Amino acid sequence: MQEVFKDFSTGGLLKIGNELLLESYRKPKQAGIYIFIRTTTQKASIEVDGVPYTISEHSLLALTPVQFFRYIEGSDLIVYQFNREFYCIKDHDQEVSCAGLLFFGNAHIPVIDLGEKEQRKFDTLHEVFVDELETEDTIQAEMLRMLMARFMIMSTRLLKAKEGFSEAVNDVKVDLLRGFNLLVEEHYKSEHSVSFYADKLFKSPKTLSNTFSKFNTTPLQIIHEAKRLLIYTDKTAKEIAYEIGFDDASHLSRLFKNQTQQSPSDFKKQLKKSF
């Protein structure tokens, strides 16, 4: 099953279907589009930015256009794909509050476990999606965008609960986390220090580091996770280092090795051997 909506006036694209939508990602490449993958009765195996993941049954995960993605196996999947022209995450962030958390978090891919209650809610929403895709009228595009907004709001609420952000007292910390992740996504090629992001957020580096330590991560881990995406180009490790703003290629190599236990060159060689 595959349903496709195209808005020729804006270039907006929405696809809803099963695992067949992922066949073009049998070899790792940038997603190029926003992707939601929902497992149902079966597990799924994927690779994101060179890291393998096994997604358990009844789970949901989100991928951004900049992430390198490889689909390995999975069945009975429900897949949603859409481009920026269909729904701009950053432009609509005030509505859904997912940027920097559900998307562009950089620390890891957000995998959300769905209980029976949540499964029923997403099943119902999926049925409405499919019905709307078959209803062609002048308000179809707006209806589909509203449904996608609802989908992301539901997902973000569940992710916040999973990460321990459900209490109102954590709202400030959540906003700090989201703001930091969005800054990293925008500046990671040129800015590599915690102090730069701390200044942008009107926080001290110590305050920023202490806040992230409570979230079981650190700013530097997120910064270098973003840089790791560039390992999939055909350029050498030295070329990649200069392209993303390092004056000394060995600096990037040390940072990369601290995060992955491999140098950029070794990581790239290992990736080639797997195909």
Side-chain angles (χ1 to χ4, degrees), residues 222-240:
I222 296 176
I223 292 170
H224 304 312
E225 183 78 16
K227 296 182 185 69
R228 192 177 61 179
L229 302 179
L230 297 176
I231 199 65
Y232 295 95
T233 68
D234 293 329
K235 298 177 181 179
T236 66
K238 186 175 182 180
E239 290 172 331
I240 292 171

Side-chain angles (χ1 to χ4, degrees), residues 10-73:
T10 65
L13 176 68
L14 169 68
K15 295 181 180 181
I16 297 179
N18 56 22
E19 56 272 10
L20 292 178
L21 285 177
L22 304 178
E23 282 297 321
S24 64
Y25 297 98
R26 285 295 185 177
K27 290 187 176 181
K29 64 178 182 178
Q30 276 191 306
I33 197 169
Y34 293 97
I35 302 175
F36 280 107
I37 301 174
R38 181 185 165 196
T39 58
T40 55
T41 59
Q42 304 292 325
K43 295 180 181 180
S45 296
I46 64 171
E47 195 175 88
V48 181
D49 299 334
V51 179
Y53 293 90
T54 298
I55 311 302
S56 61
E57 301 92 333
H58 304 298
S59 298
L60 176 69
L61 68 131
L63 300 171
T64 72
V66 300
Q67 290 176 300
F68 283 80
F69 171 59
R70 178 189 173 206
Y71 167 62
I72 301 173
E73 63 178 353

Side-chain angles (χ1 to χ4, degrees), residues 12 78 85 189 230 259 275:
I78 300 174
E85 289 74 19
K189 287 187 178 182
L230 297 176
Q259 295 299 314
F275 297 101

Side-chain angles (χ1 to χ4, degrees), residues 1-4 14-19 21 36-40 60 76-81 114 118-134 143-144 147-148 150-152 154-155:
M1 184 276 291
Q2 180 174 319
E3 300 283 350
V4 179
L14 169 68
K15 295 181 180 181
I16 297 179
N18 56 22
E19 56 272 10
L21 285 177
F36 280 107
I37 301 174
R38 181 185 165 196
T39 58
T40 55
L60 176 69
D76 297 323
L77 303 180
I78 300 174
V79 179
Y80 300 79
Q81 299 176 336
L114 303 178
E118 287 76 25
Q119 292 171 41
R120 289 194 296 270
K121 288 183 178 180
F122 279 98
D123 285 342
T124 300
L125 185 57
H126 183 71
E127 291 177 4
V128 178
F129 256 122
V130 173
D131 181 68
E132 192 58 44
L133 280 165
E134 297 173 349
M143 285 294 294
L144 289 170
L147 291 173
M148 182 53 67
R150 176 61 179 164
F151 187 101
M152 287 188 283
M154 290 167 57
S155 303

Side-chain angles (χ1 to χ4, degrees), residues 101 156-171 173-174 214-216:
L101 192 62
T156 302
R157 284 175 174 172
L158 292 173
L159 182 59
K160 284 183 177 180
K162 173 187 175 181
E163 299 291 344
F165 299 150
S166 55
E167 298 295 330
V169 294
N170 282 326
D171 285 349
K173 294 177 182 178
V174 174
K214 297 174 184 178
F215 299 150
N216 298 317

Side-chain angles (χ1 to χ4, degrees), residues 245-258:
F246 284 90
D247 294 329
D248 186 347
S250 64
H251 188 196
L252 173 63
S253 182
R254 287 195 299 272
L255 292 174
F256 191 93
K257 195 168 185 177
N258 285 338

